[in-house]
Amino acid sequence: MGSADSKLNFRKAVIQLTTKTQPVEATDDAFWDQFWADTATSVQDVFALVPAAEIRAVREESPSNLATLCYKAVEKLVQGAESGCHSEKEKQIVLNCSRLLTRVLPYIFEDPDWRGFFWSTVPGAGRGGQGEDDDENARPLAESLLLAIADLLFCPDFTVQSHRRSTVDSAEDVHSLDSCEYIWEAGVGFAHSPQPNYIHDVNRMELLKLLLTCFSEAMYLPPAPDSGSTNPWVQFFCSTENRHALPLFTSLLNTVCAYDPVGYGIPYNHLLFSDYREPLVEEAAQVLIVTLDHDSATSASPTVDGTTTGTAMDDTDPPGPENLFVNYLSRIHREEDFQFILKGIARLLSNPLLQTYLPNSTKKIQFHQELLVLFWKLCDFNKKFLFFVLKSSDVLDILVPTLYFLNDARADQSRVGLMHIGVFILLLLSGERNFGVRLNKPYSVRVPMDIPVFTGTHADLLIVVFHKIITSGHQRLQPLFDCLLTIVVNVSPYLKSLSMVAANKLLHLLEAFSTTWFLFSAAQNHHLVFFLLEAFNNIIQYQFDDSPSQKPARLEGEARGPPRGEACSLSTGNSNLVYAIIRKRSVFHQLANLPTDPPAIHKALQRRRRTAEPLSRTGSQEGASMEGSRPAAPAEPGTLKTSLVATPGIDKLTEKSQVSEDGTLRSLEPTSQKSSADGSPTAEEPGQAWREQRRLSSVSASGQWSPTSEWVLSWKSKLPLQTIMRLLQVLVPQVEKICIDKGLTDESEILRFLQHGTLVGLLPVPHPILIRKYQANSGTAMWFRTYMWGVIYLRNVDPPVWYDTDVKLFEIQRV
């Protein structure tokens, strides 16, 4: 039958379905077969030939017809899985049913009355046809569908290469087949890389798209952070009921991590032939992150200590979630597996940054947001992986592309979610000492970014990009400022030598954040000043020369805190920062003498009304930008974006830990009750202190917050200025004397003096290092869920699976 004829027949069948007032019997095979038996329609055809309005019409006016259509389509998939899909006709039926269900499912999910339909049992549908009394043990339709998809994903000659030599006895028994021998790609736990097969990849992709559509019921439920809501589709699919769970998890992970979009390295090769692997890799990444959507705050995340050799997963079965995908992920432990995963993710994240002398000569992938979520899940569920990442400089291969994406997206309101995930990843990494140590590696790779050119380390790159985000990002990024500065504070004790560019950027931020109008215009703005002062104190007090005895500890990844004691010598490396502090000393004096009387507060706020910008932009540009860079562009008009739930405040997002002298971390706050009882000057004053501050400020009748003298005094007294004031007291007269004596105007001479100067015994005793480590909570779990599904919604445009359906998890807006 010609393609045009089959489309016509398919369209007729759809029209009949909507116009038949009488329910069509399930036994009327002649009618139902029109939907899948003869047609050779693509998934795009199905979306065009089955309009949304008609699906809704059948749902409202002929509900039994819609129910029978779904039931019959699932039945065909089950039959295909049972028989092993040997004939071309069977394969075609399976694909047609798969496309039809992908089209129809979102309209079933959007109607609350239909939501339970797939979880009801259908008479006569037994549990896998094992000869039980069928109706007694009937499986819900959803379970039958999910198990059929799992079977079909390991169907020889349909989605995997057959291992049979001859075609005489080609029926490999699907029930006895060990799908672990059919894993799609070499990598974790599987050494054999099967021959690439275009048809198999396309068939897998269609089935994965249907699977993702099944999981997308979550999009049609409003966000509910407290419910710890598990997705019943994901829960069943990742349970022991699915005998293919392990090979499927491994296939998805390996397919993503083994993918190399550059191919054979031939420039422009992606223009000569299409890459059929990329759509499969994207789909695999999306299915993987959805199956790993598990709230680690509400359940014990499995952690394993003993390692066994020879297997990819740890054999000791940890107490952990019933979700087998999360369980398997948490149990990967072999170094070569970690290396394979990390190299694969880093290669794909770096792909959009690759600049060659031939513009557009390498293929640019578009699924970096899914990769960032996957990397997050790996670090969150597998602490051994996190420590592996931080053990070597390979972590910088994740850091650089992450900073690139942050810088690139900062002016685009449609990519605010990408900004958050990037910052969350850096917050998670910054809680580990080794991350700070790694940042001291010189930054030599020149990624094209519109940031000032500098010579320095990866720490300088991080600070320069953060400064750019804060001073020239859009307004909706302000909630992230706390997170960005928390990262700087966490790494600050380990930074050996900031460049002059980075030192000036930090001082510029302090100058902007400590203006009176900014400090007095919002209840939490002063926290930003606390963060910056804490970072300066850490850099000044904790830089010391590494003796050889400390090097092994660094390599092992076991933190060791800097030495304590009254003597504190100024590190030769940080003379740039000290010089910047001396030059901007007036900022510190102004903070120490901050006015607290009502007229001064009122005057400062009046000044603010005349100032449109949230931050002074002066001095934020510094000469040339990196070669090949383009300024961050705002979203194109008409771009769709999805809304996100609010992110928890930094006090909910992190837990304070103190670095002991032996380098171990000691939590300062029981998770049940947050308080700043340690008495050290910190940026956030959660719990009672925060409520006290709210009491000290006044809230007008209109609900508008306004600062009071008591409120300013309550935090001004805690500003950690002592160390810097002492440093200025000692060094400023010495620098001034040199300038007068030698008639110096040259910066390099002053820097040379500062490099050889010493502050031994002159600075206050260093305070203990405080690290604010990311801690999982239901708020962030909910944020990740809305972000992840928002990305998947926007990325699936061909076919547009969820477009124009009534999603509830987020709102869709045009920028």
Side-chain angles (χ1 to χ4, degrees), residues 28 130 166 175 185 211 219 225 250 544 577 676 703 708 761:
D28 186 353
Q130 289 151 0
S166 69
H175 293 298
E185 187 58 69
L211 189 58
M219 277 195 214
T250 313
F544 60 100
L577 180 68
S676 46
T708 62

Side-chain angles (χ1 to χ4, degrees), residues 675-725:
S675 73
S676 46
D678 56 297
S680 57
T682 63
E684 68 275 60
E685 290 115 6
Q688 294 163 329
W690 173 239
R691 283 193 290 280
E692 177 66 6
Q693 287 195 3
R694 296 292 297 174
R695 192 181 64 73
L696 291 171
S697 61
S698 67
V699 179
S700 67
S702 65
Q704 277 262 295
W705 176 88
S706 66
T708 62
S709 293
E710 293 83 0
W711 173 77
V712 178
L713 283 165
S714 73
W715 55 261
K716 180 187 170 183
S717 59
K718 297 191 182 93
L719 281 168
L721 287 165
Q722 192 190 0
T723 300
I724 293 172
M725 288 311 201

Side-chain angles (χ1 to χ4, degrees), residues 453-473:
V453 176
F454 66 89
T455 303
T457 65
H458 284 76
D460 295 311
L461 177 69
L462 179 123
I463 287 167
V464 168
V465 169
F466 282 10
H467 174 271
K468 194 89 176 179
I469 293 167
I470 291 170
T471 57
S472 63

Side-chain angles (χ1 to χ4, degrees), residues 172-466:
E172 280 171 89
D173 182 13
V174 284
H175 293 298
S176 62
L177 175 141
D178 178 6
S179 44
C180 283
E181 293 174 14
Y182 291 85
I183 287 169
W184 301 349
E185 187 58 69
V188 177
F190 195 67
H192 169 65
S193 195
Q195 275 295 103
N197 184 309
Y198 169 70
I199 302 294
H200 293 172
D201 275 6
V202 171
N203 293 344
R204 291 165 179 171
M205 196 187 74
E206 298 241 23
L207 289 164
L208 289 180
K209 196 166 289 285
L210 172 58
L211 189 58
L212 197 59
T213 309
C214 291
F215 295 159
S216 72
E217 185 183 38
M219 277 195 214
Y220 298 90
L221 303 168
D226 303 326
S227 65
S229 52
T230 48
N231 181 328
W233 294 84
V234 171
Q235 193 176 17
F236 179 79
F237 191 77
C238 298
S239 73
T240 49
E241 294 268 4
N242 178 2
R243 69 190 185 96
H244 303 293
L246 177 59
L248 190 59
F249 167 77
T250 313
S251 293
L252 295 171
L253 184 63
N254 292 356
T255 298
V256 172
C257 295
Y259 175 58
D260 185 356
V262 180
Y264 299 102
I266 308 160
Y268 299 104
N269 64 350
H270 64 289
L271 303 178
L272 305 177
F273 50 84
S274 73
D275 176 2
Y276 57 82
R277 201 91 254 229
E278 187 183 10
L280 174 67
V281 175
E282 282 191 18
E283 209 69 49
Q286 291 176 4
V287 169
L288 201 49
I289 61 176
V290 171
T291 52
L292 295 170
D293 177 23
H294 176 79
D295 189 348
S296 59
T298 57
S299 70
S301 193
T303 51
V304 186
D305 293 326
T307 55
T308 51
T309 52
T311 55
M313 314 294 169
D314 233 314
D315 286 342
T316 49
D317 222 345
E322 291 164 10
N323 179 324
L324 289 179
F325 280 42
V326 174
N327 206 324
Y328 297 144
L329 185 80
S330 69
R331 289 164 52 194
I332 299 170
H333 65 280
R334 294 192 309 191
E335 293 249 325
E336 60 266 39
D337 291 334
F338 287 157
Q339 190 66 30
F340 164 74
I341 293 169
L342 180 58
K343 280 271 183 273
I345 292 177
R347 177 178 58 244
L348 292 170
L349 284 177
S350 303
N351 162 270
L353 289 59
L354 294 174
Q355 287 292 104
T356 64
Y357 293 108
L358 303 167
N360 305 317
S361 62
T362 51
K363 182 185 179 71
K364 275 198 178 181
I365 61 155
Q366 301 295 327
F367 56 98
H368 45 271
Q369 298 193 81
E370 292 94 321
L371 289 165
L372 289 169
V373 175
L374 178 58
F375 180 77
W376 171 272
K377 298 284 182 195
L378 280 154
C379 292
D380 197 21
F381 294 142
N382 191 322
K383 289 299 171 251
K384 282 187 179 171
F385 176 75
L386 176 62
F387 295 132
F388 175 84
V389 169
L390 292 164
K391 199 169 70 171
S392 75
S393 299
D394 289 350
V395 66
L396 303 176
D397 296 336
I398 299 289
L399 170 75
V400 172
T402 304
L403 290 174
Y404 170 85
F405 292 126
L406 289 176
N407 185 58
D408 189 54
R410 69 178 193 273
D412 183 346
Q413 291 220 19
S414 70
R415 290 196 284 168
V416 71
L418 169 61
M419 298 295 295
H420 278 75
I421 176 87
V423 172
F424 285 164
I425 284 172
L426 298 182
L427 179 65
L428 180 74
L429 294 174
S430 76
E432 307 298 331
R433 172 187 185 269
N434 264 7
F435 182 64
V437 173
R438 299 290 158 227
L439 290 179
N440 289 308
K441 187 175 178 182
Y443 175 66
S444 51
V445 208
R446 286 286 173 248
V447 170
M449 286 197 235
D450 59 325
I451 55 172
V453 176
F454 66 89
T455 303
T457 65
H458 284 76
D460 295 311
L461 177 69
L462 179 123
I463 287 167
V464 168
V465 169
F466 282 10

